[in-house]
Amino acid sequence: MPGTITVWEKDPALVGRFTTAPIPDVAKLPLAFNFPAARPYSSDKTTEDFRYWNAASTLRRAADFWAASSTPPAEWNGMAVLDVYLDRDVALQSKYDGQSLSFYHGSPVGHPEVVVYSGASPDLLCHELGHAILDALRPDLFDRGFLETDAFHESFGDMSAILCAMQLPTFCAAVLQETAGRNFWSDSSLSRVAQQFGAALRMEDPKQADVACLRNAWNNHLYKDPAGLNNTGSATEVAANPHSFSRVFTGAFFEILAGMLAIRVGNKAAKPEDLQQVSCDMRDILVDALGDAPFGEHFYETVAAAMVRASLGPGSGRGPAVQTLFQNVFVRRKIIAPAIV
Ligand SMILES: [Zn+2]
C-alpha cells in the first residue's frame, strides 16, 4: 500500500477531479463500518480495487464530518458498526435499508455499453450515508410513509453529499474558480448531485433525473401542498414522491448556504476555508434543529422553523443576519409562513 491514495472528489463524471487522501480506518469508532475484505490499492479508476478504497475513504471522511457536529450521533441507529456492500447486485440503485449501505452496478435499458457503479460516486456514497446519519439522529423519521418525512430523508442525503464535498480544500478551490464572477447560488459541480448516475437514469427515462445530474440543488422549486400534486411528473416540476419533493427543501438549503457564504465574506473574495466553515455551520444548524423538530405530517415547516430558531445562535456562523436569511428563503419557498417564527 502507498502512504496515501487518490480518490474522486465528488463524482466520476467530474473527469480530472481527484484528491489525495490518507489510508482510511473504516473500523474507527464512533460510526465504524464493516466493509468487505480490504483490497490491494489501484489508481486505475476502472477497477474494483480503486472503487474499494474510493468508497472507504469517502465514507470515513463523511462519517467523521457528521461525528464532529454540534449534536453528533453516538452510534448508528441501534448498532456501532454499519455494514457496507459495494457491489451487491445488478441494478441502477443505491440504498440504506436501516441495517446497511448497499451499492450496485447496472446499465440503462438499451445501453449495455454504459455500466455505472453507484458505489463509485462520492455523491451517492455520502447521500446514502446521510440517510444512516439521519436515522441515527432521528430514528422516528425513517421510512414512515409520510411524504414530507420521506422527502426530508432524501433531501438530507443530498445535503450530506454537498456538505461532505465541501470538506475537500481542492474541491472548494475548484468550485470557487468555477463560480468566479457569478453568484455562488448558481448551477455548479457543487449543486449537481450524482451527475454520472443521473445521466444513466435519463437514458432510460428523462423523468427520473434533472437535466445535468440526478438532482440539482440549484433550483427554484417552491413548496406546494402535496395533496394537489401528481405522484410522478417531468423533472422540471415537483411531484408528490420523496425524491422529487426533496428538491424543494434542498433548493432552499443551497440558496441559504450561498447566502451564509456571502454574509461571512462580505465584499472580500471567498477562500476554500470559508466554504468549509459555512458547511460546518450549516451542518450544526441542521443537527441542532433536528433536536427541536417533532415528527409530524407537515415536517418541512416544522424543521425549517427549527432551523430558523437555531440560526440565531449562539454558535459559529449564526446571528440575526443569518436568521433573517433563513427566514426569508424559507418564506420565499413557501415552506414556512411569514409569521411562523
Ligand atoms: Zn436516498
Side-chain angles (χ1 to χ4, degrees), residues 94-96 127-128 131 150 153-155 157-158 215 243:
S94 60
K95 71 176 180 193
Y96 168 71
H127 173 98
E128 299 306 335
H131 281 299
D150 290 354
H153 242 282
E154 294 307 332
S155 177
D158 285 356
R215 287 180 293 276
H243 287 111

Side-chain angles (χ1 to χ4, degrees), residues 12-54:
L14 302 172
V15 178
R17 295 302 328 163
F18 313 117
T19 196
T20 303
I23 305 293
D25 177 4
V26 294
K28 189 179 82 172
L29 291 167
L31 306 179
F33 300 97
N34 178 36
F35 267 67
R39 302 187 60 87
Y41 175 69
S42 169
S43 60
D44 179 347
K45 315 290 182 293
T46 64
T47 62
E48 192 178 350
D49 295 343
F50 175 85
R51 286 193 295 274
Y52 172 89
W53 288 103
N54 179 66

Side-chain angles (χ1 to χ4, degrees), residues 54-71:
N54 179 66
S57 170
T58 301
L59 289 177
R60 180 73 274 155
R61 168 166 46 84
D64 288 349
F65 169 71
W66 287 108
S69 73
S70 53
T71 317

